[in-house]
Amino acid sequence: ELVQPLKKDSSFTAVAGTFKINYQNPFEFFSGALCMPEDSGDATTRLFYGRNSAFKKDAWEAVGGYPEWLYTGEDTLFAEQFLRMGFLVAYAPDAVVAWRPRPTLRKLIKMFFLYGRGNGRIENGNLKGSLYWLRYHFLWMLLLLIGFVFPWAWLLGLGVFFYLYIQMVPPVLREIRKKTNLLSREFWVPVIVFSRNIATNTGYLFGQWELRTKPIFQKYLKQYSEIQR
């Protein structure tokens, strides 16, 4: 099923399959639902991921091969390279693989941190987005600690926390409520959303620091980005 689009239409050079969540408890269901990438629906913007994808060997060679110098984010950079060079990516909805999410919050946080770190290593962008979120997280945590000495600080910390909650959680909860009636979603979704935001942005800052201070990453990324079709 995965390779059928490549056989039927020679204009496609890669194909993305789909995933189902192989969860064994409510936590894994919620974490899986919040990790799964959405299909863009557009062959010119669709990314394909290492969990379930296929690509032609000549296209693989043309884009410079798989970026094995990366630990995480390698499939993202590989797929972005396909799109940058004008290759089209098909979608195979009947090519389904099961994926089990991380079974504990600690392992999930580590996964998000590594994902953020990988993205930080491959993006020559600015840090404003990550710093925007992390400064608010730092503020409510700091106010929480100060509150043990000056209780009024808890009210300020609660205000900052509520601001972040409104920004991040309700849109996600609305989608999750369409998928399940489990009431534990009201607890686990905010926990996972906050954990994802903190871990991903912290990892991104760390990855950016590595990109800017370790010449080897700059060298490989420059070589990869200069490849022309």
Side-chain angles (χ1 to χ4, degrees):
E1 291 294 339
L2 184 62
V3 299
Q4 291 309 309
L6 300 181
K7 292 182 177 180
K8 294 177 181 178
D9 190 340
S10 61
S11 66
F12 291 112
T13 57
V15 57
T18 189
F19 316 100
K20 68 176 182 179
I21 305 170
N22 182 26
Y23 62 92
Q24 298 187 14
N25 55 56
F27 173 77
E28 291 183 3
F29 171 79
F30 295 127
S31 62
L34 295 174
C35 290
M36 286 297 180
E38 298 288 339
D39 175 53
S40 70
D42 185 347
T44 63
T45 60
R46 178 181 292 120
L47 293 180
F48 53 98
Y49 298 90
R51 295 188 188 100
N52 189 7
S53 62
F55 41 85
K56 294 181 179 179
K57 186 175 182 179
D58 57 351
W60 166 81
E61 292 175 336
V63 301
Y66 222 70
E68 298 179 21
W69 42 275
L70 286 169
Y71 177 67
T72 58
E74 75 290 347
D75 54 348
T76 300
L77 181 61
F78 184 61
E80 288 177 347
Q81 184 83 324
F82 265 70
L83 299 182
R84 183 179 70 82
M85 298 180 68
F87 291 117
L88 298 180
V89 181
Y91 178 53
D94 295 324
V96 183
V97 298
W99 176 71
R100 184 182 179 188
R102 300 298 189 272
T104 65
L105 183 61
R106 181 182 65 82
K107 291 184 178 181
L108 188 68
I109 290 173
K110 179 182 179 181
M111 182 190 76
F112 284 133
F113 175 83
L114 292 175
Y115 283 177
R117 181 182 180 183
N119 288 332
R121 286 178 174 179
I122 63 177
E123 295 181 5
N124 280 314
N126 60 63
L127 304 176
K128 290 182 179 179
S130 292
L131 292 175
Y132 171 83
W133 294 110
L134 289 177
R135 69 183 181 186
Y136 284 111
H137 288 301
F138 175 79
L139 182 58
W140 73 259
M141 292 179 187
L142 178 63
L143 289 169
L144 177 65
L145 294 176
I146 294 176
F148 288 102
V149 179
F150 303 103
W152 54 263
W154 283 334
L155 292 176
L156 295 177
L158 183 62
V160 176
F161 184 88
F162 183 71
Y163 169 78
L164 288 175
Y165 182 94
I166 294 300
Q167 293 288 315
M168 298 189 299
V169 176
V172 180
L173 260 179
R174 283 194 291 269
E175 294 302 315
I176 295 296
R177 285 168 182 160
K178 297 176 184 178
K179 300 177 181 179
T180 179
N181 293 321
L182 289 172
L183 292 179
S184 55
R185 69 195 175 196
E186 306 299 325
F187 171 77
W188 279 121
V189 169
V191 168
I192 294 172
V193 168
F194 267 75
S195 299
R196 177 179 63 181
N197 188 277
I198 295 172
T200 302
N201 285 300
T202 303
Y204 185 83
L205 289 183
F206 190 65
Q208 281 280 289
W209 174 79
E210 290 181 307
L211 176 63
R212 299 181 184 198
T213 60
K214 298 184 179 181
I216 189 67
F217 290 116
Q218 297 177 26
K219 174 185 175 182
Y220 283 137
L221 186 61
K222 185 175 184 292
Q223 290 175 345
Y224 208 67
S225 62
E226 288 179 347
I227 296 174
Q228 300 294 325
R229 182 173 178 180

